[in-house]
Amino acid sequence: MAFEITNEMLVGSLMPVIVYWVYGGLYTILGYTCNNYRLHPKEDEDEKNFASKKTVIKGVLGQQFRQFIATNLLYMITRGNDAEASSGQSTSFFVIARQFIVAMFVFDTYQYFLHRYLHQNKFLYKHLHSKHHRLVVSYPFGAIYSHPIEGLLFDIIGGTMAIYISGMSPLTSAFFSSFCNMKSVDDHCGLMLPWNPFHIFFTNNTAYHDLHHQLYGGKYNFSQPFFSIWDKILGTYMPYSLEKREEGGFKLRPLKEFKN
C-alpha cells in the first residue's frame, strides 16, 4: 500500500497548531486588560524569566514542526487501523467520548511519571527540563516551550501513545490534540478568570501549575494537563490559597511546608 498524506491527516496535524496560537493570542490580549486576575504583574514576564519571548516563539515553532512530522508519520503507519473509524462506522458520540477519556488518562499518567522523573534526575533536569522552567512567570504561547528531546518525550511520544491506545481516527485526534493544546495554554496563561470552564471542570488549573513553576514548587504538582489524581495519591500535591494583591491580581501561597 502506498503511503500518502490525505486531507484528513493535514487537518489532524494542522488544527492543533492553529488552535494553539489563536487561543494563546486570545489570552495574550486578555493579559493586557485583566490585571485584576493576573497571578503575576505583566512586567515580571520579562524581568523574572530566563528566556526572551523571541527565543520562546522560535522554540515553540520548532516543536510544532516536529509534531507535524511525527503526527503524519503516525497516521500513515496506522492508516489501516484508522480506516474503519475514518469511514464513519465507529464515530458515535459514546465511542468518541470513551476515546477521549482513555486518551486523557493515558496522557496524564505518562506525563506525571515522566515529569516527576525529569525533576528527580538532576542530569536530565539540568540538560532537558530546566529549559521549560526558564519561564518562572509563564505566559500563554510559552506553554510547550521545551528542549527538543523533552518535546519528543512529552508531547510527541506521549500524545502518540494516547491517540494510538484510544484508537482515535485522524479527525478525532485533531480535536483531542487541540483540546490538549488549549488546556496547556490555559495552564500557563497566568490568569485566574472567574468564568473559565477549565477551572470549573479541572482542579489542575492555572494556579495549580503556576505553583509548580515557582522556585519552591519544583517538587510538587507534577500532574498535567488534566487531573491531579497522581499528585494526591503519591504525595506530591501542594495545596495553595489565592490572596488578593493590593496593586491588583492574585498572589499564590502554598498551604503546607515545602521541601527545599
Side-chain angles (χ1 to χ4, degrees):
M1 182 190 304
F3 290 149
E4 61 177 339
I5 297 179
T6 65
N7 289 336
E8 188 178 31
M9 293 178 185
L10 287 175
V11 170
S13 54
L14 288 177
M15 183 191 295
V17 176
I18 296 171
V19 167
Y20 181 93
W21 290 105
V22 171
Y23 197 62
L26 173 63
Y27 264 123
T28 299
I29 294 172
L30 289 174
Y32 287 99
T33 60
C34 298
N35 287 327
N36 286 334
Y37 300 105
R38 294 186 65 90
L39 293 174
H40 303 275
K42 179 67 177 176
E43 57 269 19
D44 283 0
E45 292 179 4
D46 296 314
E47 295 176 1
K48 294 189 176 181
N49 288 333
F50 299 95
S52 69
K53 289 182 178 178
K54 180 179 179 181
T55 298
V56 171
I57 291 173
K58 288 173 61 178
V60 169
L61 288 173
Q63 171 66 8
Q64 290 177 327
F65 175 75
R66 291 185 289 272
Q67 286 178 327
F68 174 83
I69 299 299
T71 300
N72 281 289
L73 285 175
L74 171 68
Y75 291 158
M76 288 188 289
I77 292 171
T78 62
R79 187 178 178 187
N81 295 333
D82 290 335
E84 180 180 355
S86 300
S87 66
Q89 297 178 20
S90 303
T91 54
S92 72
F93 171 80
F94 294 103
V95 169
I96 293 175
R98 173 183 58 79
Q99 291 173 338
F100 260 69
I101 293 171
V102 170
M104 289 166 70
F105 178 77
V106 170
F107 200 40
D108 252 44
T109 301
Y110 175 83
Q111 289 225 356
Y112 173 84
F113 288 101
L114 176 60
H115 189 192
R116 183 172 179 176
Y117 184 67
L118 289 180
H119 274 270
Q120 292 176 331
N121 186 302
K122 294 181 179 180
F123 177 85
L124 292 179
Y125 181 83
K126 178 180 179 181
H127 295 283
L128 296 184
H129 193 51
S130 63
K131 183 171 183 177
H132 181 68
H133 279 271
R134 291 177 185 174
L135 301 184
V136 179
V137 178
S138 57
Y139 46 80
F141 58 83
I144 63 171
Y145 174 66
S146 62
H147 189 282
I149 295 177
E150 179 182 345
L152 171 68
L153 294 172
F154 265 109
D155 299 317
I156 296 176
I157 294 179
T160 297
M161 184 185 304
I163 290 169
Y164 183 75
I165 291 176
S166 64
M168 289 180 175
S169 70
L171 187 58
T172 302
S173 72
F175 285 98
F176 176 72
S177 297
S178 297
F179 183 58
C180 289
N181 276 352
M182 291 175 67
K183 182 63 170 64
S184 185
V185 167
D186 198 90
D187 289 346
H188 293 83
C189 73
L191 294 172
M192 288 299 292
L193 298 173
W195 38 263
N196 188 334
F198 282 123
H199 295 177
I200 297 172
F201 292 103
F202 299 101
T203 58
N204 188 339
N205 56 31
T206 308
Y208 187 97
H209 191 68
D210 189 86
L211 185 147
H212 173 74
H213 269 262
Q214 304 313 302
L215 298 179
Y216 58 78
K219 296 181 184 292
Y220 303 97
N221 294 9
F222 298 112
S223 292
Q224 59 184 43
F226 299 109
F227 311 112
S228 56
I229 182 172
W230 290 115
D231 277 318
K232 293 178 178 179
I233 290 175
L234 297 175
T236 53
Y237 171 65
M238 173 63 79
Y240 59 88
S241 66
L242 289 174
E243 301 176 1
K244 291 291 291 184
R245 292 197 308 263
E246 291 184 4
E247 62 273 25
F250 296 102
K251 182 177 180 60
L252 266 175
R253 289 197 182 278
L255 292 183
K256 69 178 183 180
E257 185 177 352
F258 52 83
K259 303 175 184 178
N260 292 326

